[in-house]
């Protein structure tokens, strides 16, 4: 294990594996280009070590140059890709092969393709040492791949976490075992949102409420909001596919979170399985599912009261509220057995003073 800034990273890909992958790439590219003189363009800063080892493995005529782009800050891609060092002069008529250290969402690639779009290159190919196929948007063909990897945050071999770690000879991945990921379970009105607000402060967790994300999208008239609105207005569940994709995107936005509180997700068996698979792909897991228990009549009263001030249409009509309970009983309640089987289900009495209930939840979390 190594520590870079505030984070712990564990060994992930050995030097020999990296060099073998580079050797394989060099052979593949040589098969296509050894009879001409391609121009390799490394993408700084991350690819400097890769390019050096690649060129040692590629012993045929070639030229080399670099562009410099920047999009990551800390563990999060900022989404804005800046060009800090532009396309080399005299690329016209040449076969250009981009050498990237890692391709994930494809945002940097977009910028690269844009950079070369006005140059009269003979051919434009893309090679990457590491390829996160799960998150790549698939916009451009990746011609040469060293190693396919899941969506882990990695450092070493040229890649950094806030500029540290570039000189490591092997690749390390973020160690997620200290994370706490909680599912807050319970019927509408059980107090999940209120309690999540306290727990996120106490345990430094990122709170994701799928209901809140939907409402935010509805308010802003996004495509997702328009799609979800008809379901939410009736008190029905939004289709799984839409909800699962949205949840994943919310998690992806917070790669440096110390853990998550999932509030209102999962609500169906398909969502629970998708969550487990998704977290596993990121070396994460659900640590506990905590249900806030309360009787229907009390919940109806609470929700109607909330509806007076929240303006939520699904809180203002008893039949819609009862429909949400039906959805819960039919689709969500069976998840209790799913989590019990994993030994992760905890039940907490959701009736009483708010701070008393927070204490009950804290007891469960502290015992994990
Ligand atoms: P909530 O704020 O959690 O009560 O959610 C409000 C509404 O958003 C629900 O009644 C559903 O229509 C929709 N919704 C929220 N989370 C989910 C989910 N995990 N699956 C499907 N629909 C959801």
């Amino acid at each position: 294990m190594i520590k870079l800034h505030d984070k712990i990273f564990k060994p992930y890909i050995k030097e020999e594996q990296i060099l073998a992958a580079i050797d394989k790439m060099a052979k593949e590219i040589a098969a296509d280009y050894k009879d001409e003189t391609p121009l390799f363009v490394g993408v700084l800063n991350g690819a400097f070590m890769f390019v050096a080892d690649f060129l040692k493995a590629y012993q045929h005529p070639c030229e080399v140059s670099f562009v410099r782009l920047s999009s990551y800050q800390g563990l999060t891609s900022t989404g804005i890709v800046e060009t800090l060092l532009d396309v080399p002069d005299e690329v016209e008529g040449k076969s250009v092969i981009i050498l990237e250290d890692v391709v994930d969402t494809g945002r940097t690639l977009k910028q690269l393709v844009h950079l070369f779009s006005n140059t009269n290159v003979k051919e434009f190919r893309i090679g990457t040492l590491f390829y996160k196929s799960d998150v790549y948007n698939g916009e451009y063909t990746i011609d040469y791949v060293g190693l396919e990897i899941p969506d882990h945050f990695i450092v070493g071999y040229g890649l950094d976490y806030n500029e540290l770690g570039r000189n490591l000879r092997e690749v390390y991945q973020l160690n997620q075992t200290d994370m706490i990921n909680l599912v807050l379970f319970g019927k509408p009105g059980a107090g999940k949102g209120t309690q999540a607000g306290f727990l996120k402060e106490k345990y430094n967790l990122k709170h994701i409420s799928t209901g809140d994300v939907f409402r935010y999208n509805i308010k802003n008239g996004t495509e997702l909001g328009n799609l979800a609105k008809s379901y939410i207005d009736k008190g029905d569940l939004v289709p799984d596919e839409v909800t699962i994709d949205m949840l994943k995107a919310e998690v992806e936005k917070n790669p440096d979170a110390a853990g998550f509180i999932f509030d209102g997700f999962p609500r169906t068996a398909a969502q629970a399985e998708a969550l487990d698979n998704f977290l596993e792909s990121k070396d994460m897991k659900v640590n506990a599912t905590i249900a806030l228990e309360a009787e229907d009549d009390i919940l109806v009263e609470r929700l109607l009261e909330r509806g007076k001030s929240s303006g939520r249409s699904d809180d203002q009509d008893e039949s819609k509220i009862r429909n949400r309970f039906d959805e819960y009983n039919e689709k969500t309640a069976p998840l209790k057995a799913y989590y019990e089987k994993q030994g992760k289900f905890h039940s907490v009495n959701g009736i009483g003073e708010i701070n008393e209930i927070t204490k009950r939840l804290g007891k469960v979390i502290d015992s994990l």
Side-chain angles (χ1 to χ4, degrees):
M1 298 271 194
I2 51 159
K3 188 164 188 213
L4 302 173
H5 297 292
D6 55 330
K7 305 262 180 240
I8 307 286
F9 293 83
K10 61 185 177 188
Y12 181 40
I13 306 172
K14 291 210 176 313
E15 193 179 8
E16 304 90 83
Q17 258 177 294
I18 300 169
L19 294 176
I22 292 173
D23 223 46
K24 184 198 73 175
M25 282 181 84
K27 287 202 174 78
E28 282 171 16
I29 296 177
D32 294 344
Y33 288 97
K34 66 176 182 321
D35 297 331
E36 48 180 304
T37 306
L39 167 63
F40 293 113
V41 177
V43 183
L44 294 174
N45 291 339
F48 71 91
M49 211 181 264
F50 166 42
V51 173
D53 280 336
F54 175 84
L55 292 175
K56 286 186 238 164
Y58 190 90
Q59 292 295 303
H60 305 279
C62 65
E63 295 178 16
V64 62
S65 188
F66 293 91
V67 291
R68 185 165 175 222
L69 304 173
S70 163
S71 78
Y72 270 88
Q73 251 169 24
L75 300 170
T76 326
S77 174
T78 57
I80 301 157
V81 182
E82 263 185 284
T83 307
L84 305 168
L85 175 64
D86 213 334
V87 176
D89 297 334
E90 299 178 20
V91 292
E92 200 175 322
K94 291 183 182 163
S95 293
V96 169
I97 302 168
I98 295 291
L99 294 179
E100 257 281 35
D101 43 339
V102 58
V103 168
D104 44 34
T105 60
R107 244 186 317 245
T108 312
L109 277 191
K110 196 183 177 88
Q111 179 72 2
L112 278 167
V113 172
H114 176 71
L115 280 181
F116 281 88
S117 62
N118 291 327
T119 60
N120 271 329
V121 296
K122 182 177 162 209
E123 269 184 299
F124 182 80
R125 293 284 171 96
I126 297 165
T128 183
L129 176 55
F130 301 115
Y131 174 45
K132 297 182 179 177
S133 55
D134 291 348
V135 286
Y136 180 54
N137 68 11
E139 202 171 346
Y140 310 103
T141 308
I142 315 281
D143 303 286
Y144 306 100
V145 171
L147 290 166
E148 243 184 76
I149 58 168
D151 184 24
H152 293 145
F153 186 84
I154 54 172
V155 295
Y157 199 77
L159 290 98
D160 73 311
Y161 167 47
N162 275 349
E163 294 307 324
L164 291 184
R166 294 194 194 275
N167 57 333
L168 297 164
R169 304 175 76 107
E170 345 195 296
V171 167
Y172 290 71
Q173 81 176 90
L174 190 61
N175 185 28
Q176 307 275 36
T177 48
D178 296 339
M179 265 190 142
I180 306 179
N181 298 304
L182 303 172
V183 171
L184 272 190
F185 206 69
K187 285 187 182 163
K192 300 188 294 295
T194 307
Q195 291 301 333
F198 293 113
L199 296 177
K200 76 171 188 192
E201 296 301 330
K202 184 163 179 206
Y203 295 96
N204 185 28
L205 304 175
K206 170 78 193 160
H207 173 205
I208 300 181
S209 154
T210 40
D212 283 350
V213 181
F214 282 133
R215 282 184 287 278
Y216 176 83
N217 278 276
I218 291 172
K219 203 170 117 201
N220 289 287
T222 68
E223 204 179 317
L224 174 68
N226 296 338
L227 198 154
K229 191 173 185 326
S230 56
Y231 298 96
I232 293 180
D233 280 348
K234 283 186 276 182
D236 290 343
L237 291 187
V238 178
D240 279 338
E241 209 183 270
V242 178
T243 312
I244 290 167
D245 283 351
M246 181 186 86
L247 188 277
K248 287 182 182 174
E250 290 299 309
V251 173
E252 300 284 4
K253 279 185 204 162
N254 297 280
D256 46 1
F260 292 90
I261 303 176
F262 300 108
D263 160 8
F265 188 97
R267 265 174 153 106
T268 65
Q271 291 180 15
E273 278 164 33
L275 181 63
D276 274 353
N277 292 336
F278 173 62
L279 292 182
E280 198 187 327
S281 77
K282 301 178 85 63
D283 200 27
M284 293 158 61
K285 62 174 183 192
V286 170
N287 298 77
T289 295
I290 313 180
L292 283 168
E293 312 275 8
E295 288 99 61
D296 283 8
D297 290 344
I298 295 180
L299 295 178
V300 173
E301 232 173 84
R302 276 191 196 170
L303 287 171
L304 288 171
E305 196 53 41
R306 183 170 82 181
K308 286 182 197 164
S309 54
S310 74
R312 281 180 58 170
S313 64
D314 57 348
D315 281 351
Q316 292 173 16
D317 176 334
E318 185 163 342
S319 69
K320 285 183 189 172
I321 292 173
R322 297 271 176 201
N323 182 44
R324 284 154 71 198
F325 291 172
D326 290 344
E327 287 277 74
Y328 180 91
N329 289 332
E330 187 194 331
K331 297 173 182 161
T332 312
L335 296 186
K336 180 176 178 195
Y338 179 89
Y339 286 112
E340 270 174 348
K341 222 170 160 185
Q342 299 186 7
K344 291 179 181 167
F345 192 83
H346 305 263
S347 191
V348 161
N349 178 1
I351 308 286
E353 294 289 325
I354 289 177
N355 63 348
E356 270 308 311
I357 301 170
T358 312
K359 276 189 207 157
R360 291 174 203 155
L361 288 163
K363 236 189 207 171
V364 173
I365 298 167
D366 293 338
S367 73
L368 294 175

